[in-house]
Amino acid sequence: MKKSGWLLLFKLALTILSLWIIYKQVIEKENFADVIRDAKQLANDNDALLLLIISLFLMVINWSIEAVKWKFLVSKIVAISFLQSLNAVLSGVTLSFFTPNRMGEFAGRILHLPYGTRIRATFATLIGNAAQLVITIGAGVASAGFIMNFIELDVRINLLIIAAIFIINIILLLIYFNISILDKWLLKIKLMHKYADHIHALSGYSKTELAKVLLLSFTRYFVFATQYVLILQMMNVDADLADLYFAVAAVFLIITVIPTIALTELTVRGSVAVSIISIVSNNKLGILEAAFIVWFINLVIPSVLGSFTLLTLKLARQK
């Protein structure tokens, strides 16, 4: 068999293995039929189907924004189309499904790039992830104000918390907009000297370009949060809209800082969501169902699509 034949066989095996693992871990392990039955019972009004359609549309918007962001970041290294970027992002979702804290996302993306650009693109990807982390932590810390509404605290403590929120967000922004400092720190390590040209990717973006990446990250975050709120409403989790947004921000923050693998993430998501969102609603089953639907729409469906994008990989030969 020719090398191209073996490569095609390898990619087919990888795709089938990914689909099989997703099926075993989601459809069977999570009692998929029971979850769907409970969701149908909770979503018994006429708006439920419309909310589900909107949520699916927001999933497409969510990952499209990420594809635009990644395309912009790697454009300084190699020119790719939006479709190539989207395929790479979806492949990253698939590989991240089986790795702690989605570390496989890097590998899934850069495999779609020419061999000589991959290390540098990894550092560019790091900037995009840092921007998303700044938004997630910033919004999550700000959600402390939401928690304060349900806890009786001294006025001075409230003021301290507000001041801490402000200071933390300022520090996060300062670190992000000076991420080029990481370039210098890494190059102080002898082992990193041979990667100097690649590491310089961290200092290759202007403040304006970093601001654009941050804005795209914020837009994506808002789309994701809105989708979560809509699904909570679909599951009849009744609460003020502002309270739901703040609660979702707190959930995102906690999920981000807890080490997980996407295959086991649902258990963590469910328990965190119930702990936080039940502060404003007693519908714990609805909160659990919403956590599953959000996880399924935003991770499982893209992972399935990403498993097929692996077939489009053209693995470059090492020079």
Side-chain angles (χ1 to χ4, degrees):
M1 186 184 293
K2 293 182 179 180
K3 183 179 289 187
S4 59
W6 284 112
L7 181 59
L8 178 60
L9 188 62
F10 169 75
K11 291 190 290 186
L12 279 171
L14 186 59
T15 300
I16 293 169
L17 178 63
S18 300
L19 291 171
W20 180 79
I21 292 175
I22 291 170
Y23 172 81
K24 294 293 288 184
Q25 294 294 328
V26 177
I27 305 300
E28 288 188 2
K29 186 176 178 181
E30 300 298 341
N31 299 318
F32 192 73
D34 294 339
V35 173
I36 296 299
R37 185 198 63 228
D38 292 339
K40 285 181 178 178
Q41 291 175 352
L42 287 166
N44 55 8
D45 54 63
N46 296 328
D47 293 333
L49 180 59
L50 176 61
L51 291 174
L52 180 60
I53 292 171
I54 295 173
S55 298
L56 289 168
F57 176 71
L58 289 177
M59 179 266 287
V60 176
I61 298 297
N62 176 16
W63 289 113
S64 294
I65 293 172
E66 181 62 22
V68 169
K69 184 173 75 175
W70 195 64
K71 177 180 181 296
F72 173 73
L73 285 166
V74 301
S75 64
K76 287 180 175 289
I77 304 164
V78 59
I80 60 173
S81 67
F82 168 77
L83 186 58
Q84 287 174 314
S85 180
L86 183 60
N87 282 342
V89 167
L90 291 175
S91 293
V93 177
T94 300
L95 294 188
S96 70
F97 204 77
F98 316 109
T99 54
N101 277 35
R102 304 183 193 169
M103 294 302 294
E105 177 187 335
F106 289 90
R109 292 187 185 192
I110 65 173
L111 282 174
H112 285 263
L113 300 179
Y115 177 79
T117 66
R118 291 174 184 171
I119 299 177
R120 193 173 178 86
T122 299
F123 286 101
T125 305
L126 182 64
I127 293 174
N129 287 8
Q132 204 67 57
L133 188 62
V134 166
I135 296 297
T136 301
I137 294 176
V141 171
S143 68
F146 153 76
I147 303 293
M148 286 161 52
N149 290 330
F150 299 90
I151 303 174
E152 293 185 5
L153 295 173
D154 185 88
V155 175
R156 288 172 295 183
I157 296 177
N158 286 342
L159 290 173
L160 284 173
I161 292 174
I162 293 171
I165 290 170
F166 179 77
I167 292 170
I168 289 171
N169 281 291
I170 291 297
I171 291 172
L172 286 171
L173 289 172
L174 286 173
I175 293 172
Y176 172 71
F177 281 107
N178 292 279
I179 198 168
S180 57
I181 294 173
L182 186 59
D183 181 333
K184 298 174 183 176
W185 288 350
L186 287 172
L187 290 177
K188 288 181 180 180
I189 304 172
K190 267 191 175 182
L191 291 175
M192 292 294 179
H193 288 179
K194 61 180 178 180
Y195 301 114
D197 290 340
H198 306 297
I199 294 172
H200 286 323
L202 292 172
S203 56
Y205 300 88
S206 66
K207 295 286 194 295
T208 302
E209 289 170 327
L210 290 174
K212 181 177 180 179
V213 173
L214 195 67
L215 180 60
L216 286 169
S217 297
F218 173 78
T219 305
R220 185 182 172 216
Y221 182 92
F222 180 73
V223 168
F224 192 17
T226 298
Q227 181 201 57
Y228 204 141
V229 169
L230 289 177
I231 292 173
L232 284 167
Q233 292 178 328
M234 184 176 75
M235 292 293 100
N236 288 311
V237 178
D238 296 322
D240 290 338
L241 196 61
D243 286 344
L244 286 178
Y245 269 105
F246 279 121
V248 165
V251 170
F252 286 168
L253 174 62
I254 295 171
I255 290 173
T256 299
V257 299
I258 296 176
T260 58
I261 297 176
L263 288 172
T264 60
E265 190 176 306
L266 181 57
T267 303
V268 176
R269 281 177 176 267
S271 58
V272 171
V274 170
S275 299
I276 301 297
I277 303 175
S278 60
I279 294 175
V280 297
S281 174
N282 293 323
N283 186 0
K284 292 185 178 181
L285 179 59
I287 295 170
L288 277 172
E289 290 290 325
F292 176 85
I293 294 171
V294 168
W295 178 77
F296 187 86
I297 289 177
N298 292 288
L299 279 180
V300 179
I301 293 177
S303 292
V304 172
L305 295 174
S307 66
F308 290 106
T309 66
L310 293 173
L311 290 172
T312 67
L313 279 175
K314 294 180 180 180
L315 300 178
R317 185 184 303 170
Q318 181 173 347
K319 296 181 180 180

